[in-house]
Amino acid sequence: MPLSDTAALARQAAANKQGLGAFNVVLLHHAEMFVRAAENVGLPVILQLSQNAVKWHGRFAPLSSALLALAKEAKVPVGVHLDHAEDPQLCRRAIDLGYSSVMYDGSKLPDAENRETTAQIVAYAHKNGVSVEAELGEVGGKNGVHDPKARTAPEDAAQFVADTGVDLLAVAVGSSHAMATREAVLDNSLIERIRQAVPVPLVLHGSSGVPDDGMVAAIRAGMTKINVSTHLNVVCTQQVRAALKEDEQLVDPRKYLGPADEQVRAEVERLLQLYCS
């Protein structure tokens, strides 16, 4: 199946009032589990590779080639997305490699510079048939855009989209990155107001910290692309710890990673179905 356009998948999900699962790849076998899970439930999925993961691997093109090959061989629509790239050049490399979307994260920059750089990346991406996700900084705030106290103002969101031409917008509505517990409470009223003001699908970062009922409510309020990373890392690591504790003689990673992969696959299947419930 051809690589799927992330923004097109998100627009379709938004029209159906459903969520689009986007899961971060740390290791290649995670991506294999994400695709297998999507195929098992017959739903689209987004494979995400963050700038931090690229730095950890040390090379960008080899892992990217593997993700693109997985997506193109899948039996369901799969997009490949560069996540949280603060380096504009890395965004351009991903576009040149054939990614279906990139997320330029200029939220730490002064507002005017963020808008200007984002618009430049959008122009380059659109010329190559690639969609772009971005986010505002915390206007007037001091705790950082990913602080759970941060909130995106609907009028700021609408102006940012108009100024930059982005295809998807990440917004601050109560979640935070790297939450290992699922206790975040989202502002669904704000999600509704942003959705009414903004003509592109909304993206929730920090979804790992949101419980199931909160996620369903957020999707119904207008959230579409649902980014998950830490929660699946917790699922994987708990199973690995249990396997190694049970048999301290285990040395073959297939013997302890295999069960962990199956737990991750099952959880991704559950989440994909939850987002479409």
Side-chain angles (χ1 to χ4, degrees), residues 10 17 20 23 42 56 61 63 82 89 129 144-145 165 174 179 186 204 215 218 251 258:
K17 298 187 182 302
L20 173 65
F23 304 105
W56 185 81
L63 186 56
L82 177 65
Q89 188 56 37
V145 69
M179 290 186 69
L186 301 182
L204 184 66
M215 188 57 65
V251 294

Side-chain angles (χ1 to χ4, degrees), residues 34 44-45 102 109 113 115 125 130 134 139 148 158 174 178 199 205 218 220 253 261:
F34 300 161
V45 72
V102 299
L109 298 173
E113 185 178 351
R115 291 170 194 259
V130 175
V139 179
H205 288 240
R220 289 175 179 168
D261 286 346

Side-chain angles (χ1 to χ4, degrees), residues 17 151-155 157-158 169 171-174 186-204 214-224:
K17 298 187 182 302
R151 294 291 184 273
T152 299
E155 60 272 18
L169 185 69
V171 295
V173 291
L186 301 182
D187 189 336
N188 291 323
S189 174
L190 178 58
I191 293 172
E192 289 180 357
R193 286 185 282 125
I194 297 173
R195 187 70 195 92
Q196 291 170 1
V198 172
V200 299
L202 303 181
V203 182
L204 184 66
M215 188 57 65
V216 170
I219 291 169
R220 289 175 179 168
M223 197 59 68
T224 298

Side-chain angles (χ1 to χ4, degrees), residues 221-241:
M223 197 59 68
T224 298
K225 180 170 173 281
I226 311 300
N227 290 12
V228 182
S229 180
T230 301
H231 173 60
L232 296 178
N233 291 340
V234 170
V235 170
C236 177
T237 304
Q238 287 177 339
Q239 181 59 45
V240 169
R241 284 198 179 108

Side-chain angles (χ1 to χ4, degrees), residues 138-187:
E138 185 188 357
V139 179
K142 62 181 181 180
N143 296 319
V145 69
H146 303 302
D147 188 294
K149 297 177 182 177
R151 294 291 184 273
T152 299
E155 60 272 18
D156 290 335
Q159 190 60 55
F160 186 85
V161 173
D163 289 344
T164 61
V166 295
D167 305 283
L168 304 107
L169 185 69
V171 295
V173 291
S175 59
S176 181
H177 284 120
M179 290 186 69
T181 58
R182 307 179 76 201
E183 301 170 348
V185 178
L186 301 182
D187 189 336

Side-chain angles (χ1 to χ4, degrees), residues 1 31-45 69-78 265 268-269 272:
M1 179 174 290
E32 294 171 333
M33 291 303 104
F34 300 161
V35 171
R36 187 177 303 172
E39 290 177 331
N40 286 349
V41 296
L43 291 169
V45 72
L70 277 171
K72 291 172 183 177
E73 291 186 2
K75 299 174 183 177
V76 294
V78 177
R265 176 197 54 74
V268 170
E269 289 182 14
L272 288 172

